[in-house]
Amino acid sequence: MKLHTSTVHGVITAIEDIFKNNRYADKVIERTLRSNPKWGARDRGFIAESVYDMVRWWKLINKVSPSDNTFHLFGTYWLLQGNELPDWKEFKGIDSKMVEHRFNKIQDRPTLQSIPEWLDEMGESLLGEMWDSEIEMLNTQADVVLRVNTLKISREDLMNRLAEEGVETYAPKGYKDALVLGKRQNIFKNPAFKAGMFEVQDASSQLVAQALEVEPGMRVIDACAGAGGKSLHLAALMENKGRILSMDIEGWKLQNAKLRARRAGVSIIEPRVIEGNKTIKRLKESADRLLLDVPCTGLGVLRRNPDTKWKISPESVAKVQEIQQEIIQNYSGMLKPGGIMVYATCSILPSENQDQVAKFLASEKGKAFELIEDQKVLAQESGFDGFYIAKLKKKA
């Protein structure tokens, strides 16, 4: 593939913004693409994929590169992809044989898999022999998965409609509302998306709403709703009958949920900002179902957000575990006796998952609950994101 100066400069600028200014990769890529509307689909794809790949393999690239000059780092990345470098002055000083020699000398997993050493140690201590295959899988590019909005169209009809437009998909087994794109593309421009017929949502994430066993007419609280993806799925499972309270401490996220609900034809979602314990206390024993999709390290979704591994630290992992326990302790009171609560994370660490549930069940408030079942979804086994889903029942 031939390199072009404008798109390579786009990648360089984005990488510097991510690592020098500590910005989020997805936001930087979005801003970079918006800044040059003349780039075509191929150029935009090249920039997005190159930036994500460089972020994913950042430690490895830095180890092998002749210097920390960003052009040298890009050139090293390009060679590691099996490509040849053009004769540009920016790439002077990069010797492909030296890059290959340095790469072949690397044997330690943290560098080969491009992760911080503390994270490698934590992963191995918590996941044992599963860690090697899991981190390898989490370093691959994720598929684009759609969740069919069954309020508007069936999975088969959406599949056929997209096929007529040249968008090939397949239906993965065990995920009743999911379609996986045959190849990556900007699906947001598709008329079916604009008509609210689907959302982009990983297959593992789609298991969360299903675990809640909702029925039409129920009162459901999605207490960490964010931009409302799981609330929308719950609304479809409830046939848009009943009431869903989509709550979050961040009001701006809920604004996005409103827009998405309108597009999806959902009328039962009521956004509500959590302004403190008063908001929670007012809703005591008011929900038939309670979803706690709690903040987490996000280690199960590294395929989508590779910059996560450079942003978290042992301190932030400990802090998020405190927040998780606070949420399950404080928010669980909103569930009616006899109701079902789902505790979920997009993490693969037992310390954020089954250990948190066990700690809750052993506590005073947790005595009112029993664990029905839990699901540990690893990327290496599912082919999708890593997730944890625990289903608990409040004793009548």
Side-chain angles (χ1 to χ4, degrees):
M1 181 183 170
K2 189 181 177 185
L3 291 177
H4 300 280
T5 50
S6 71
T7 50
V8 170
H9 274 277
V11 173
I12 298 291
T13 307
I15 285 293
E16 289 178 347
D17 200 15
I18 290 163
F19 286 104
K20 290 182 180 171
N21 300 324
N22 200 29
R23 308 250 195 250
Y24 285 98
D26 58 341
K27 302 294 181 210
V28 170
I29 290 167
E30 201 178 297
R31 200 162 50 245
T32 304
L33 298 180
R34 212 185 299 127
S35 70
N36 201 326
K38 290 182 180 174
W39 283 327
R42 187 177 290 181
D43 292 335
R44 300 167 89 78
F46 165 80
I47 289 166
E49 287 184 24
S50 298
V51 172
Y52 272 128
D53 258 357
M54 283 190 72
V55 170
R56 187 172 283 121
W57 299 108
W58 191 240
K59 183 173 184 171
L60 178 64
I61 293 164
N62 274 271
K63 186 82 172 176
V64 175
S65 174
S67 79
D68 62 1
N69 170 293
T70 319
F71 271 97
H72 278 186
L73 292 167
F74 174 84
T76 301
Y77 154 73
W78 196 242
L79 289 172
L80 288 171
Q81 297 291 305
N83 302 306
E84 289 184 12
L85 283 174
D87 189 20
W88 295 0
K89 67 179 190 303
E90 290 89 347
F91 297 141
K92 287 282 182 288
I94 303 177
D95 180 347
S96 60
K97 285 191 168 57
M98 180 57 73
V99 166
E100 187 182 4
H101 174 70
R102 284 182 169 181
F103 174 73
N104 288 335
K105 277 176 69 178
I106 297 168
Q107 291 185 320
D108 65 297
R109 183 172 56 204
T111 307
L112 274 176
Q113 294 297 345
S114 203
I115 46 173
E117 292 201 10
W118 70 265
L119 180 57
D120 185 57
E121 287 167 15
M122 182 183 282
E124 186 172 42
S125 72
L126 292 173
L127 288 173
E129 57 189 29
M130 303 286 278
W131 173 242
D132 208 33
S133 303
E134 190 66 7
I135 192 60
E136 193 172 325
M137 186 65 173
L138 290 172
N139 269 330
T140 62
Q141 190 182 59
D143 291 323
V144 178
V145 186
L146 314 181
R147 179 185 58 76
V148 181
N149 179 11
T150 51
L151 294 174
K152 293 201 169 191
I153 195 168
S154 70
R155 179 161 75 167
E156 193 178 347
D157 286 349
L158 179 62
M159 190 186 231
N160 292 335
R161 176 179 167 145
L162 292 174
E164 284 169 16
E165 297 167 11
V167 180
E168 294 303 321
T169 60
Y170 73 88
K173 281 183 181 174
Y175 305 88
K176 67 187 185 74
D177 297 328
L179 284 176
V180 183
L181 290 193
K183 66 173 186 180
R184 298 184 71 81
Q185 57 191 282
N186 185 0
I187 199 73
F188 296 113
K189 288 187 174 176
N190 192 283
F193 175 74
K194 292 175 180 176
M197 292 178 184
F198 66 83
E199 289 282 341
V200 172
Q201 184 182 1
D202 185 76
S204 295
S205 175
Q206 293 183 37
L207 297 172
V208 176
Q210 285 175 359
L212 216 51
E213 291 181 15
V214 291
E215 292 171 16
M218 280 185 168
R219 183 183 165 93
V220 179
I221 295 179
D222 180 359
C224 311
K230 293 179 182 73
S231 288
L232 290 173
H233 192 189
L234 288 165
L237 294 170
M238 291 163 69
E239 298 168 18
N240 203 29
K241 293 169 188 167
R243 188 179 179 212
I244 298 170
L245 214 52
S246 293
M247 304 172 70
D248 205 276
I249 56 170
E250 306 277 8
W252 62 271
K253 289 181 181 176
L254 295 173
Q255 286 299 319
N256 197 6
K258 267 187 186 176
L259 297 171
R260 293 171 78 185
R262 200 174 303 145
R263 187 179 62 237
V266 169
S267 59
I268 64 168
I269 290 177
E270 181 193 327
R272 189 175 298 183
V273 179
I274 298 171
E275 292 169 340
N277 279 338
K278 274 185 185 173
T279 313
I280 305 301
K281 283 176 181 170
R282 282 192 207 110
L283 293 163
K284 187 179 178 184
E285 295 190 350
S286 65
D288 299 303
R289 297 287 185 269
L290 175 63
L291 173 56
L292 303 180
D293 180 22
V294 298
C296 68
T297 55
L299 287 175
V301 292
L302 280 182
R303 299 170 78 196
R304 293 172 202 290
N305 305 314
D307 53 330
T308 295
K309 59 188 172 184
W310 310 124
K311 292 195 179 332
I312 59 173
S313 64
E315 293 75 28
S316 68
V317 173
K319 180 65 184 166
V320 85
Q321 287 171 16
E322 278 177 36
I323 293 166
Q324 288 164 351
Q325 195 58 221
E326 276 172 26
I327 288 174
I328 195 169
Q329 290 284 346
N330 295 336
Y331 291 15
S332 56
M334 293 189 286
L335 188 66
K336 289 177 184 175
I340 290 173
M341 173 172 79
V342 163
Y343 170 92
T345 77
C346 55
S347 175
I348 50 171
L349 298 180
S351 55
E352 294 184 76
N353 298 335
Q354 53 266 45
D355 294 359
Q356 291 285 34
V357 172
K359 187 176 180 180
F360 170 67
L361 290 171
S363 72
E364 196 56 41
K365 286 179 182 172
K367 285 174 187 171
F369 289 79
E370 59 185 329
L371 178 65
I372 302 170
E373 62 178 345
D374 68 350
Q375 215 175 340
K376 305 165 193 75
V377 184
L378 291 175
Q380 62 184 292
E381 292 168 349
S382 66
F384 299 110
D385 289 346
F387 254 83
Y388 175 77
I389 304 159
K391 190 193 300 186
L392 301 104
K393 187 166 187 173
K394 192 170 191 176
K395 295 167 189 173

